[in-house]
Amino acid sequence: MECIETKIKDVKLIKPKIHGDSRGFFLETYQKNHFKDIGIPYNFIQDNHSRSKKNTLRGLHYQLDKMQGKLVRVSNGCVYDVAVDMRKGSPTFKEHVSFILSDENQFQLFIPPGFAHGFCVISDEADFEYKCTEFYNPNSEVGIMWDDPDLDIDWPISDPMVSDKDNKNFLISEIPNELIPKY
């Protein structure tokens, strides 16, 4: 496994070692000691799996109470994945990183607690799987508009399918101070 540092210190891109031959492949997606060795010492307590159609955009979400760190991967298809640093006081506050995650590259992305997260599907369909460091609490979730001009995210789709809930998210400039996690 190779850990690739990103422009935001605590976000890590992980390239697993893939063992393949004419029959297919095998890879280890998680091993607690290996992740601890690369600076991800979290205990993951919940696994999630979503399937989405092409041009679906989910996010950008983060939690206030019991913030979730996430280890995300794509087991089928391809997505454009985005993490936004929402930790007030962080040197990279309001900055984002983005990566292509796919069943071909098998990359994983670790997104620490205090980051907003979202993705859009750029293949016909995608299975998106992720581990969380805390249980999901819908009453603690805050959303940021995917097309917020202050974030200037270069999404690779122009007319995404977005949920009604996500269409009501905040612009980052309108988020009340009490809804921004501290660093």
Side-chain angles (χ1 to χ4, degrees):
M1 170 176 47
E2 179 184 355
C3 179
I4 302 164
E5 298 297 325
T6 70
K7 74 176 187 175
I8 297 180
K9 179 184 171 199
D10 299 322
V11 177
K12 299 180 186 300
L13 187 65
I14 298 142
K15 183 179 178 182
K17 187 171 185 177
I18 301 171
H19 307 276
D21 59 27
S22 61
R23 300 168 298 160
F25 71 88
F26 169 85
L27 66 99
E28 193 174 80
T29 60
Y30 179 74
Q31 206 268 35
K32 187 174 184 170
N33 290 337
H34 291 229
F35 277 76
K36 185 178 178 184
D37 290 346
I38 63 170
I40 303 173
Y42 295 89
N43 289 318
F44 294 98
I45 61 171
Q46 180 176 327
D47 282 5
N48 299 315
H49 181 154
S50 71
R51 176 172 290 157
S52 303
K53 296 177 181 181
K54 186 174 187 154
N55 293 327
T56 296
L57 193 146
R58 298 183 185 272
L60 300 155
H61 308 131
Y62 65 95
Q63 297 73 32
L64 285 175
D65 181 44
K66 296 187 177 183
M67 296 180 282
Q68 288 182 323
K70 296 175 183 168
L71 177 62
V72 304
R73 65 184 290 265
V74 173
S75 59
N76 178 50
C78 185
V79 307
Y80 181 80
D81 199 83
V82 177
V84 180
D85 189 349
M86 291 304 300
R87 303 169 302 172
K88 189 174 190 172
S90 164
T92 54
F93 180 53
K94 296 184 185 178
E95 290 183 28
H96 72 276
V97 290
S98 58
F99 302 94
I100 299 289
L101 306 179
S102 73
D103 60 0
E104 286 186 24
N105 66 26
Q106 292 292 337
F107 288 167
Q108 295 175 282
L109 187 64
F110 175 70
I111 303 154
F115 279 70
H117 174 254
F119 67 91
C120 70
V121 178
I122 52 181
S123 55
D124 288 338
E125 183 176 80
D127 286 319
F128 190 84
E129 300 180 27
Y130 56 108
K131 297 181 153 326
C132 300
T133 61
E134 288 289 345
F135 295 111
Y136 175 66
N137 178 355
N139 298 322
S140 176
E141 187 172 77
V142 179
I144 304 168
M145 289 299 295
W146 66 273
D147 60 350
D148 188 322
D150 286 341
L151 294 177
D152 195 30
I153 297 170
D154 188 18
W155 296 98
I157 59 176
S158 57
D159 191 22
M161 292 188 288
V162 180
S163 71
D164 290 340
K165 179 182 97 171
D166 285 346
N167 272 324
K168 297 174 185 164
N169 286 343
F170 287 101
L171 290 173
I172 204 163
S173 62
E174 298 172 345
I175 299 174
N177 240 4
E178 64 272 11
L179 296 184
I180 299 175
K182 290 185 175 53
Y183 180 59

